[in-house]
Amino acid sequence: MSNIRHALTARRADDFAQWYQEVISAADLAEESGVRGCMVIKPWGYGIWERIQRLLDDRIKATGHENCYFPIFIPLSNFEREAEHVEGFAKEMAVVTHHRLIADGKGGLMPDPEAKLEEPLVVRPTSETIFGDAMARWVQSWRDLPLLTNQWANVVRWEMRTRMFLRTTEFLWQEGHTAHADEAEAREHTLRMLEVYRACAEEDLALPVIAGEKPENERFPGAVETWSIEAMMQDGKALQAGTSHYLGTNFSEAANIRYQDREGQQALCHTTSWGVSTRMIGGVIMVHGDDDGLRVPPRIAPWQVIILPMLRDKPEDEALLDYCEDLRSKFAGKTALGEPVRVLLDRKPGKAAAKRWDWVRKGAPIIIEVGGRDMEAGTVSLLRRDRLWAENGKPDFAAPSVAAAADDVPRLLEEVQGELFRQAEERREANITRGLESFDAVSDFFASNGKYPGWVEVQWAKPTGAALDQVVERLKSLKLTIRNVPMGSDAADGSCIFTGAPATERILLARAY
Amino acid sequence: MSNIRHALTARRADDFAQWYQEVISAADLAEESGVRGCMVIKPWGYGIWERIQRLLDDRIKATGHENCYFPIFIPLSNFEREAEHVEGFAKEMAVVTHHRLIADGKGGLMPDPEAKLEEPLVVRPTSETIFGDAMARWVQSWRDLPLLTNQWANVVRWEMRTRMFLRTTEFLWQEGHTAHADEAEAREHTLRMLEVYRACAEEDLALPVIAGEKPENERFPGAVETWSIEAMMQDGKALQAGTSHYLGTNFSEAANIRYQDREGQQALCHTTSWGVSTRMIGGVIMVHGDDDGLRVPPRIAPWQVIILPMLRDKPEDEALLDYCEDLRSKFAGKTALGEPVRVLLDRKPGKAAAKRWDWVRKGAPIIIEVGGRDMEAGTVSLLRRDRLWAENGKPDFAAPSVAAAADDVPRLLEEVQGELFRQAEERREANITRGLESFDAVSDFFASNGKYPGWVEVQWAKPTGAALDQVVERLKSLKLTIRNVPMGSDAADGSCIFTGAPATERILLARAY
C-alpha cells in the first residue's frame, strides 16, 4: 500500500516528536499562545476535553463526590507550613507579588511599587494545603466523614521545557481531595479512584493502561502511597495518565484535620488526593493517531458523524442541504454507546474534498459525504476513520442506502471504539518484554531494540533509601524510570536484577514522558 | 403569622446585608478562604453554578459557538498596546513577577530574585486582548467568519471591598468573543447574546431582568455599545447580571484582525464580547431568598427533591431506607422542566428535623419526609419550599399517597419555578416608579421612600461628554447610577430631568451593587 498519499507530512516511524506536533496542528487541537509555556486549546481540542470532563465527572459523582471550587491563590505560608512539601515539591511556581499596574512614565506599564503584597501569593500548583485548611473547618465529628470533594480547575507549574498537552505551564485538571475516619477506608478509597481512572481511560478514551503502585522515589511529596495508571505510546514510551495518593495523616497533621469519633475522642483524619489532566489528550494523540492525523474514540469525540454536502455554490445546493439536514436529524435520533449520536452537518463554504481531509486529520470517527448523485440514488458515501484506506490505496468509501447507514451508525461507532482499544492493547502487549534477568540484559535490550523498544517487566527486591537511589541512578543512565508495580501481576519468583537478592515484586521499566 | 419561628436570625427587612451573609452561610453556599477577597465555593453553591453553566452553555452552543481555552496569564505588553484599555480599565490586577520560590534563610520561603520574569504577567481580568491575538491568526478570509468562541474560566480583579459572589477578587465566568465581517452582523450578534442572557436569567434562574443599553459612561472600555440585563434585589437595589458589548473595530485595529472579503480586499473585523459570572448566584440569593434561607429555582437546583427518612438508629431503619430508595427511584423516573427529576435520598446520620431545616435553609424546592407511620400508610409528608408556612405558623406539610406524590412532583416543580419568577416580577413592577419629572422630584423620592425605594424610570436628553459627567455627579450625590435604557420602552414624551431639553429616551435610575 505504498501508493497511499497520507494526510500528514511527518511519519510516526521517522520522527515521532515532529509527527506529534504536526497532529496537534493538523487536527486543530491547540497552538502556542505567545505566553511562555501556555497553549491555546482550540475548539476541537477543547471539545475532546469537555467530553472527557463530562464522562469522568459522572464517574466521580457516582462514587459520592461533590464538586466545589477553591481559590487559585495560595498564601506562601501554606507552603512553608508543609515542610516536607516545600522540600520535595518543585519550587518552580508562578508568584504574584503586586496587585496593581501603573504607568512607568515611558508610555508603558509596570507593577506599582506601592502595591506590593505583604505576603506573596502562589498560583496553585495543586491544592492539598488549601483544601486541608477547609477540611479542618468542615470536619467536626465522625458524622461528617467521609468528606468527598473534587474540583475542576487550572493549575500552574513553571516548567522549563514544555510540550503541548504533555507538559505546559498552565494546564487543566480535576483534583479530588477526601478525608476519612481511618486508614483502611482511606486506602480503599485511593484504590477506588484509581479504578475510576482505569475505567475512564480504557472505556472512554480507549487507552489500555496498567494500574499499579509507584516506587517510593516517585511518590507525591507527602504521600504514603502513590498509585498510577500508565499507558504505552506508539513510540514505546510510557505516559503516566493519572495518579491517586494515600496521604496518611501527613496533611491532616499540618492542617489540623481532626474529628470526634463515636467514643468522643479526637482523632486525625486520613486523607487522599488524585488527579488527571489535559495531559490525557496527549495520550489519546500518541496512542490513537496515525499518519493521517488523529483518530478520536467515539465516546470522547465532540462530533461522531460528520455530514459533508458536496456543495457547488449553485442554486441546487439548497436542495442538497435540506436533504442533508434530514439525514442529520435521522442519525441524531439514534443512540450509540449509551448516548444520542452526535452528528454535525458541516455547512461551511469550501470544497468537499478539502473538508473531508480536514475531518480525517481531526479524526472524526465517521465521515459521510453526500453529493447530487447520492441524493438521487438514496445512498451516502461513508468513510470509517479507523479503516481509512482500501487495498488500492484509495479512501475506503462504502455506499450504503440512507436507511442502512442510519441503522448501522450505532454499531459502527461501537466498533470503532472497540477497534481503537483493541489495536492499542495488542500493540502494548507486543511491546512489553518479560524474562530479562539482569541489569545487563536490560541494558543490552534497550541498546539493541531500535528506536521504539517498548517496556520491560523485571523483578526486584524493592530496595529503599540509598539502595533505591542507586537503582534510580543506574536506570537513569539508560534513560529509564520505574513506572509502577502492576496490580495483579504474578508473584515474584526470581532474583532482583539490581542486587541479586530474592525478588519480591515485578516492576515495569520504561522511557517516559 | 407572627408566631412563625424562622430558620434564620437576620431579617431581610431589618438588615439586608447581614441577612445576605447569613443566607450564604446557612445555605452552605460559600465561605471566606483566608486568601484576601477569594471565597471557597462549597458543594451546594458550586452545584448551583454547575447547573447554571450547563443550561447557559447549551444556549451558547445552540447559537453556534464553540468553547476553547486561553491562558490565564496575559503579557503586560498586551495591556500597553490597548491604550484606551489601559486608561479605562481598572488597573487593580494580580501581577506575577517571579517563577520560583527559594528558602529565605529563616525557615521560610521567598520569591527567588534570580527568577524574576523579564516581562511581568497579569492574571487575566478579561481576555479580549489575548483572544484578539488568536483571532488575527485564525481569521484569513470571509469564509472564516463569523468566528464564534466562548470560554469558561476564572478571572481576577483586585477588588478593594469584596462581598461574596457579588464582588470577589477571583470569580468564575464565561466570556464570549466573536468576530464578524460587518457592523450590522456584529451589532445583531451583540443583541442575540443579550437575549440569550435574558432567557437564561428569566427561564432558568427565575430572575426577571430588564435588558437595555448602558449609557456612555458605563460602557466597557473600548466598547462602542454596552448592553446589560438588570435585576431588582429585594432591597430595591439593582444588580447588573450580564453584559454584551459591541466593540466595533477597536480591538481588531489593536490586534490586527483582518480578513479578505469576497472581492479580495482586506477589511477589519467587527468584534463582540459578553459575559456572565458567579455574581448571578448573588442575584439568586437576593431575589429568591427569604427569612428561612435560600429558595433555589428548580431548574438550577442541584437536587430538586430531598427524601428524608426519619431514622432512629435502630434495626427498623433498614426497612425504611429500602422503602425510601424505592421512592427515590420512582421520583427520579419522572421528567420535570424537560429533564429527569433530580432526587436525593439523604442517608446522612442525624435527626430528621435538624436535617429538614438544613434543607429549608439551602432552599431545596421540595422536601419529603418519610417516617415509619408514613411507610405503613403508604403516604409521604411533603413540604414545598416556596409555601413553607401554614396559617397556624407551622410548616405546611401535605400528606399525599406515594402514587399521588410521584405523579405530582413534575407539576409541583414547574409551579415552584413559575411562582418564584412571578413573585419577583410582581415585586419589581411594584417598585419601579414612573412619572417623576425633575431631578428634585427624584431627589425627594429617594429621600422619603424609606430603606428600599426601588428604581425610578425618568426621561432624559442623552447628554454626552462633560454634560454627562455632570449628570453622573448629580446622581452620585443620591448614590444613584443609570442602569440602562430599557429596550422596547415607550417613546420619550417629556423633558430631560437634568437639562429641561426635550427628552429622547427613558432611563432607569437605581442604587446598585
Side-chain angles (χ1 to χ4, degrees), chain B residues 37-147:
Chain B
C38 295
M39 60 180 176
V40 174
I41 308 181
K42 299 180 79 174
W44 186 246
Y46 195 78
I48 293 171
W49 179 240
E50 284 183 301
R51 287 291 309 157
I52 295 174
Q53 274 195 302
R54 186 156 301 191
L55 294 167
L56 181 55
D57 193 62
D58 286 348
R59 292 181 187 272
I60 290 171
K61 286 184 174 140
T63 42
H65 301 81
E66 293 181 307
N67 287 336
C68 50
Y69 187 76
F70 276 73
I72 188 170
F73 296 134
I74 300 180
L76 198 60
S77 51
N78 278 39
F79 291 92
E80 292 172 344
R81 200 177 58 197
E82 198 57 53
E84 186 172 5
H85 209 84
V86 166
E87 283 319 308
F89 207 89
K91 290 174 200 126
E92 296 291 337
M93 308 191 229
V95 189
V96 176
T97 54
H98 294 74
H99 66 77
R100 190 183 304 135
L101 293 177
I102 53 164
D104 65 1
K106 295 174 247 168
L109 293 168
M110 64 176 201
D112 182 355
E114 305 274 296
K116 192 172 173 186
L117 297 177
E118 277 186 39
E119 179 179 6
L121 295 171
V122 173
V123 181
R124 65 178 157 226
T126 180
S127 306
E128 276 75 9
T129 68
I130 197 161
F131 269 80
D133 289 345
M135 285 178 168
R137 296 190 297 267
W138 297 354
V139 174
Q140 303 295 329
S141 117
W142 62 271
R143 287 186 193 82
D144 302 319
L145 296 173
L147 181 65

Side-chain angles (χ1 to χ4, degrees), chain A residues 44 294-298 301-306 356 358-368 383-386 388 413 416:
Chain A
W44 188 246
L294 184 58
R295 302 187 301 172
V296 188
W303 299 113
Q304 297 168 314
V305 179
I306 308 295
R356 174 209 303 161
D358 285 346
W359 284 112
V360 164
R361 283 183 282 258
K362 285 176 176 232
I366 295 177
I367 298 169
I368 287 178
L383 196 57
R384 258 177 79 157
R385 180 60 182 87
D386 65 324
L388 197 54
L413 289 171
V416 176

Side-chain angles (χ1 to χ4, degrees), chain B residues 235-489:
Chain B
D235 61 355
K237 286 194 191 173
L239 182 80
Q240 177 179 297
T243 50
S244 185
H245 314 290
Y246 165 58
L247 304 171
T249 57
N250 294 334
F251 283 84
S252 291
E253 274 164 37
N256 202 24
I257 314 172
R258 285 169 203 276
Y259 72 100
Q260 192 173 48
D261 66 19
R262 285 169 193 255
E263 284 73 43
Q265 304 297 310
Q266 288 289 313
L268 280 172
C269 288
H270 292 252
T271 67
T272 82
S273 70
W274 26 276
V276 302
S277 73
T278 34
R279 172 166 240 236
M280 281 193 128
I281 297 176
V284 168
I285 298 167
M286 291 194 290
V287 170
H288 300 309
D290 65 16
D291 291 344
D292 298 296
L294 183 58
R295 301 187 301 172
V296 188
R299 222 185 258 280
I300 59 167
W303 300 112
Q304 298 169 314
V305 179
I306 308 296
I307 300 179
L308 286 180
M310 302 178 78
L311 303 173
R312 296 162 174 279
D313 216 359
K314 291 194 177 152
E316 302 92 272
D317 286 357
E318 230 19 69
L320 185 60
L321 279 169
D322 286 350
Y323 183 78
C324 286
E325 173 51 36
D326 191 53
L327 279 183
R328 193 202 59 76
S329 99
K330 262 203 191 72
F331 293 159
K334 302 282 174 177
T335 297
L337 298 158
E339 293 179 274
V341 174
R342 296 183 290 282
V343 193
L344 175 74
L345 167 54
D346 183 349
R347 294 169 172 274
K348 279 218 166 179
K351 295 224 165 113
K355 287 167 65 180
R356 174 208 304 162
W357 290 110
D358 285 345
W359 285 111
V360 164
R361 283 183 284 258
K362 284 173 176 240
I366 295 177
I367 298 168
I368 287 178
E369 294 186 6
V370 187
R373 263 179 295 176
D374 294 295
M375 186 164 70
E376 276 164 35
T379 59
V380 298
S381 301
L382 187 152
L383 196 56
R384 260 176 77 159
R385 180 61 181 86
D386 66 324
R387 298 187 189 165
L388 197 55
W389 301 106
E391 292 286 331
N392 63 4
K394 300 248 186 293
D396 193 9
F397 278 106
S401 71
V402 167
D407 284 345
D408 261 9
V409 155
R411 182 181 59 76
L412 293 180
L413 289 171
E414 281 157 30
E415 272 183 29
V416 176
Q417 181 80 25
E419 180 62 14
L420 291 180
F421 182 80
R422 195 196 59 71
Q423 289 176 12
E425 196 180 35
E426 188 176 285
R427 190 186 319 117
R428 183 190 67 189
E429 287 314 303
N431 286 287
I432 298 182
T433 299
R434 295 179 174 84
L436 301 177
E437 296 192 352
S438 68
F439 183 78
D440 284 346
V442 169
S443 181
D444 286 350
F445 176 84
F446 280 96
S448 57
N449 272 277
K451 284 165 84 168
Y452 302 158
W455 303 357
V456 302
E457 188 192 270
V458 297
Q459 305 196 25
W460 78 338
K462 201 179 182 177
T464 59
L468 176 59
D469 292 346
Q470 223 171 19
V471 165
V472 170
E473 280 308 308
R474 287 172 76 185
L475 290 171
K476 205 173 170 184
S477 70
L478 303 179
K479 295 185 183 163
L480 292 176
T481 51
I482 304 170
R483 302 319 301 161
N484 67 22
V485 180
M487 292 172 87
S489 54

Side-chain angles (χ1 to χ4, degrees), chain A residues 369-387:
Chain A
E369 294 185 6
V370 187
R373 263 179 296 177
D374 294 296
M375 187 164 66
E376 277 162 35
T379 59
V380 297
S381 300
L382 187 152
L383 196 57
R384 258 177 79 157
R385 180 60 182 87
D386 65 324
R387 296 185 189 167

Side-chain angles (χ1 to χ4, degrees), chain A residues 168-296:
Chain A
T168 48
T169 300
E170 180 189 18
F171 57 91
L172 305 180
W173 78 347
Q174 61 64 224
E175 48 181 321
H177 298 274
T178 69
H180 305 262
D182 62 48
E183 176 174 343
E185 189 191 291
R187 285 182 186 269
E188 192 185 315
H189 199 74
T190 306
L191 294 183
R192 181 177 299 127
M193 298 322 293
L194 188 73
E195 165 57 18
V196 162
Y197 288 163
R198 185 209 59 76
C200 175
E202 299 201 331
E203 295 164 17
D204 299 334
L205 284 67
L207 293 184
V209 292
I210 291 183
E213 190 183 350
K214 287 283 193 189
E216 180 187 322
N217 62 303
E218 299 271 2
R219 268 180 213 146
F220 174 70
V224 175
E225 285 177 4
T226 287
W227 297 74
S228 73
I229 53 171
E230 305 277 336
M232 185 186 285
M233 306 297 104
Q234 288 184 68
D235 62 354
K237 287 194 191 172
L239 182 80
Q240 176 179 298
T243 48
S244 184
H245 315 288
Y246 165 57
L247 304 171
T249 56
N250 294 334
F251 284 84
S252 292
E253 274 164 38
N256 203 23
I257 314 173
R258 285 169 202 275
Y259 71 100
Q260 192 171 49
D261 67 19
R262 284 170 193 255
E263 285 73 44
Q265 303 298 308
Q266 289 289 312
L268 280 172
C269 288
H270 292 252
T271 68
T272 82
S273 70
W274 25 276
V276 302
S277 73
T278 36
R279 171 165 240 234
M280 280 193 129
I281 296 176
V284 168
I285 297 168
M286 291 193 290
V287 169
H288 299 309
D290 65 17
D291 291 346
D292 298 296
L294 184 58
R295 302 187 301 172
V296 188

